[in-house]
Amino acid sequence: MRVLGVDPGLTRCGVGVVEGVPGRACTLIEYTVVRSDPDMDLPDRLLNLDVALTELVARHRPDSVAVERVFSQHNVRTVMGTAQASAVAILAGARAGLPVQTYTPSEVKAAVTGSGTADKAQVTAMVTRLLNLDAPPKPADAADALALAICHVWRGGIKSKLAAAAAAETKLAAASKLAFASKLAAAAAAAAAAGSRRGGQR
Amino acid sequence: MRVLGVDPGLTRCGVGVVEGVPGRACTLIEYTVVRSDPDMDLPDRLLNLDVALTELVARHRPDSVAVERVFSQHNVRTVMGTAQASAVAILAGARAGLPVQTYTPSEVKAAVTGSGTADKAQVTAMVTRLLNLDAPPKPADAADALALAICHVWRGGIKSKLAAAAAAETKLAAASKLAFASKLAAAAAAAAAAGSRRGGQR
């Protein structure tokens, strides 16, 4: 299974794509960091992230998306931006009709290092080893995103299948998700067309 | 100018559309509340809100979008959901290439009642009067969204033009926003197509 992991952030958003099966070494497909200038307006920053993540999802066609769950114990100002970036990441997966799973930082650390309190260096070292990389992925946001993706393949593979099965029985079944995605594409196209028709302010 | 105001929330998201010019009475176009069940998974809740807001923006073709700015002094758990809902609302406007402006609750209250510390009943009463409605808009989320839209027409009309002029000179000029929107529509269509091609897990 192919998983796209996202370590959400407005200034730096880590993205890592891996492929593998539970219990075996995973293969690195790509990692990257989507950046935006803190001086940019919030709408432009969110749009920039949305476009980048939508493109990554469309290009890599993962089976599911894993996003780090945002906690509130950090700096409150930063957390608001992180919460907004995580919404963009979750939407990018959901809009493509994919199952999206969130994990806490300690779940991810425990999955790749065996300890929920491991530090960043330890996580990066394990990610480097588990993906058979020659050098550690940089910056740390990318390593975290890869750890998330590995965590989902190993721990979440099952979770994700259960979630997918459950989703199929709920109101938002796969079919209606696809209908949503098509409706969205149509609405986006209509909005783009409306935008290009509109010359200036009314 | 036509403004779509959003009072963001995951369980109840107020939306109000008004038309008017600074200093004169505004006309009500529509108000509604987008709801989602707290028992639904977060990805489905965000997707539900995204689809509804994208449809409202495409249908009403506002000149700009006004969203209430999220503060952190409230209940922390609620704030995370509100921050994520606000990201969805801001994106819905930005993706359509529209200027998006945020206002604090006290800016909105001051604009429609003359006092930044007015209570909900006072805001609802003023919105009812300013839009010449026979009965107060219900629920309060809808009244707040209408107050935001009126605030933007009155106070923000100028702000919005300045913002639009500034945006035209920055990296994310209107043209590139439209390119973004088209790119997004194409990516969404590709993702929808990929989703319908994929039978099951790899």
Side-chain angles (χ1 to χ4, degrees):
Chain A
M1 87 186 291
R2 182 175 287 198
V3 176
L4 186 142
V6 182
D7 181 27
L10 272 184
T11 305
R12 288 187 314 277
C13 182
V15 182
V17 185
V18 307
E19 207 162 60
V21 291
R24 298 206 201 150
C26 293
T27 309
L28 170 70
I29 306 293
E30 181 182 332
Y31 68 84
T32 185
V33 173
V34 182
R35 295 166 195 273
S36 82
D37 187 340
D39 291 336
M40 279 168 74
D41 282 342
L42 180 62
D44 291 336
R45 301 184 79 184
L46 294 175
L47 184 61
N48 177 60
L49 182 58
D50 178 56
V51 170
L53 293 178
T54 299
E55 188 275 326
L56 283 159
V57 166
R59 181 154 52 86
H60 289 294
R61 298 190 191 178
D63 296 294
S64 54
V65 173
V67 181
E68 188 168 298
R69 196 174 301 164
V70 186
F71 274 106
S72 41
Q73 58 258 43
H74 304 101
N75 177 299
V76 168
R77 215 164 233 270
T78 315
V79 158
M80 305 294 283
T82 310
Q84 294 181 313
S86 80
V88 174
I90 292 169
L91 255 191
R95 251 196 265 122
L98 300 175
V100 180
Q101 179 89 43
T102 59
Y103 291 97
T104 65
S106 48
E107 282 179 308
V108 176
K109 287 173 184 175
V112 299
T113 74
S115 160
T117 59
D119 62 16
K120 278 199 176 285
Q122 215 181 325
V123 170
T124 301
M126 281 307 293
V127 165
T128 310
R129 190 184 304 174
L130 294 169
L131 294 174
N132 285 316
L133 305 180
D134 294 331
K138 280 180 187 172
D141 313 78
D144 285 347
L146 289 169
L148 262 158
I150 295 170
C151 166
H152 188 60
V153 169
W154 284 6
R155 271 202 43 181
I158 299 154
K159 246 193 189 175
S160 141
K161 275 177 198 160
L162 287 175
E169 292 179 20
T170 63
K171 312 150 208 167
L172 282 170
S176 85
K177 278 194 186 179
L178 287 175
F180 266 162
S182 309
K183 196 173 163 189
L184 183 86
S196 58
R197 273 198 302 277
R198 183 188 305 126
Q201 299 280 43
R202 259 177 233 184
Chain B
M1 89 186 287
R2 182 176 287 198
V3 177
L4 186 142
V6 182
D7 181 27
L10 272 184
T11 305
R12 287 188 314 277
C13 181
V15 182
V17 185
V18 307
E19 207 161 60
V21 291
R24 298 206 201 149
C26 291
T27 309
L28 171 69
I29 306 293
E30 180 181 333
Y31 68 82
T32 185
V33 173
V34 181
R35 296 166 195 274
S36 82
D37 187 339
D39 291 335
M40 278 169 73
D41 281 343
L42 180 62
D44 290 336
R45 302 184 79 184
L46 295 175
L47 184 61
N48 177 62
L49 182 58
D50 178 56
V51 170
L53 292 178
T54 299
E55 188 275 328
L56 282 159
V57 167
R59 180 154 51 88
H60 289 295
R61 297 191 191 177
D63 297 293
S64 53
V65 173
V67 181
E68 189 168 297
R69 196 174 302 165
V70 186
F71 274 106
S72 39
Q73 58 257 43
H74 304 99
N75 177 299
V76 167
R77 215 163 232 272
T78 315
V79 158
M80 305 293 285
T82 310
Q84 294 181 314
S86 81
V88 174
I90 292 169
L91 254 191
R95 251 196 265 123
L98 301 174
V100 180
Q101 179 88 42
T102 59
Y103 292 98
T104 64
S106 48
E107 282 179 308
V108 176
K109 287 173 183 174
V112 300
T113 73
S115 161
T117 58
D119 62 15
K120 278 201 175 284
Q122 215 180 325
V123 170
T124 300
M126 281 307 293
V127 165
T128 310
R129 189 183 305 173
L130 293 169
L131 294 174
N132 287 314
L133 305 180
D134 294 330
K138 279 180 187 171
D141 313 78
D144 285 345
L146 289 169
L148 261 159
I150 296 170
C151 167
H152 188 60
V153 169
W154 286 6
R155 271 201 43 179
I158 300 154
K159 247 193 188 175
S160 141
K161 275 177 197 160
L162 287 176
E169 293 178 20
T170 62
K171 312 151 209 166
L172 282 170
S176 86
K177 278 193 189 180
L178 287 175
F180 266 163
S182 310
K183 198 173 162 189
L184 183 85
S196 58
R197 272 199 304 276
R198 185 187 303 125
Q201 298 280 41
R202 259 176 233 185

